[in-house]
Amino acid sequence: MIAAPDLSSRPLQLRVERAMAASPSVLFRAWTEEFDRWFAAPGSVSMKGEVGAIFYFETRFEGMRHPHYGRFLRLEHDRLVELTWVTAATKGAETVVTVDLAPHVRGTHLRLEHAGFPDEESRNRHQEAWPKVLAHLDQRMMARDRSLHP
């Protein structure tokens, strides 16, 4: 088993939930294989969706480059993705993002928990950002589904 970071000295966390139009399998693939389709800058992703695998990608926002690093801790096909998340916004702390995917009447109920923030500023930045990121994910995956199944 892959060792998760010790978050006992960093108890700050957040939770975001959203009803997503895409299926659990589409969302699982988005989080483990297709970050460049919805979040990462094209051509910046180095990722293999396997437990223990290390990943890297960049986002670009307001002309600035934002590196993201991590490793996959747990994967349950079409159900759960747990990974570490290290960025300048986490101030270099290895935080943990857990994404639960549950089938829902018209898609998926997604619950994202992000734990281990070094301070309230970091948590608050992510509390503001994650709902926007998930809305963008939903929009991109719906557009993708429409193009594949007109």
Side-chain angles (χ1 to χ4, degrees):
M1 178 160 187
I2 301 301
D6 179 2
L7 305 181
S8 60
S9 66
R10 294 182 280 125
L12 295 174
Q13 59 186 15
L14 64 83
R15 176 184 289 180
V16 178
E17 298 190 42
R18 181 180 170 93
M20 307 287 279
S23 69
S25 64
V26 166
L27 294 170
F28 183 85
R29 215 169 28 258
W31 280 92
T32 58
E33 300 172 22
E34 300 177 347
F35 258 84
D36 56 345
R37 290 184 181 256
W38 63 280
F39 193 56
S44 72
V45 178
S46 177
M47 177 179 284
K48 188 173 187 178
E50 295 179 359
V51 172
I54 296 168
F55 66 83
Y56 170 85
F57 65 88
E58 297 174 1
T59 59
R60 295 203 176 86
F61 183 69
E62 296 179 349
M64 299 288 294
R65 184 180 149 267
H66 301 277
H68 291 64
Y69 302 85
R71 55 198 173 95
F72 289 102
L73 299 174
R74 290 189 304 154
L75 296 171
E76 295 176 22
H77 193 70
D78 297 350
R79 192 174 118 25
L80 178 125
V81 177
E82 185 174 77
L83 45 84
T84 64
W85 193 262
V86 181
T87 70
T90 67
K91 301 182 179 176
E94 189 179 40
T95 61
V96 175
V97 173
T98 305
V99 179
D100 284 297
L101 306 168
H104 194 265
V105 176
R106 291 195 175 118
T108 304
H109 179 83
L110 184 150
R111 183 178 71 228
L112 181 146
E113 294 180 356
H114 193 165
F117 292 104
D119 57 29
E120 288 187 21
E121 177 192 9
S122 179
R123 183 198 50 203
N124 293 346
R125 282 183 68 180
H126 285 85
Q127 184 74 57
E128 184 180 320
W130 277 123
K132 295 172 187 172
V133 169
L134 295 179
H136 182 71
L137 168 61
D138 202 21
Q139 180 182 40
R140 293 298 304 238
M141 293 302 108
M142 282 191 311
R144 179 173 176 247
D145 278 351
R146 277 197 292 270
S147 69
L148 293 175
H149 307 95

